[in-house]
Amino acid sequence: MKLEDKILEIINVIESKHLNDPTKSDDYDKITKLLLIDVNQTIHVIENLNLDNLEHISSDFEELSYKLQSKEFVECLKKLEEKYPKKMSPEIQKGVEAYYGD
């Protein structure tokens, strides 16, 4: 199964749960772990998810950026800001700031 399909499957599970379901955090952790496996696949997934799905993972941009330390990932986040202006700006900014490369 492709990474994007795995992520979408988990997002569907999250959406089917009650708003206050405490197990949702476990699902978000699964998404984060999957996105940390391969930066190129992560970029591909982020580039192809729609805004609703991106909003599910946007809170992880900072952690992903910090752990991946990838200039390409940061560029991907900047493109998201252009594609969806002001929709995820704080999350994108935190992701950009977490990169301490050149």
Side-chain angles (χ1 to χ4, degrees), residues 9-22:
E9 183 177 296
I10 296 169
I11 289 172
N12 286 333
V13 169
I14 291 168
E15 289 177 339
S16 71
K17 292 182 177 182
H18 185 272
L19 180 65
N20 296 320
D21 188 327

Side-chain angles (χ1 to χ4, degrees), residues 7 9 23 25 32 37 45 49 54-55 64 70 74-75 79 82 89-90 93 96-97:
I7 300 297
E9 183 177 296
T23 64
S25 63
T32 303
I37 294 171
V45 168
L49 289 178
L54 283 169
E55 288 176 336
L64 293 169
S70 165
V74 171
E75 293 302 319
K79 288 178 188 174
E82 293 172 15
S89 295
Q93 186 60 38
V96 170
E97 292 172 358

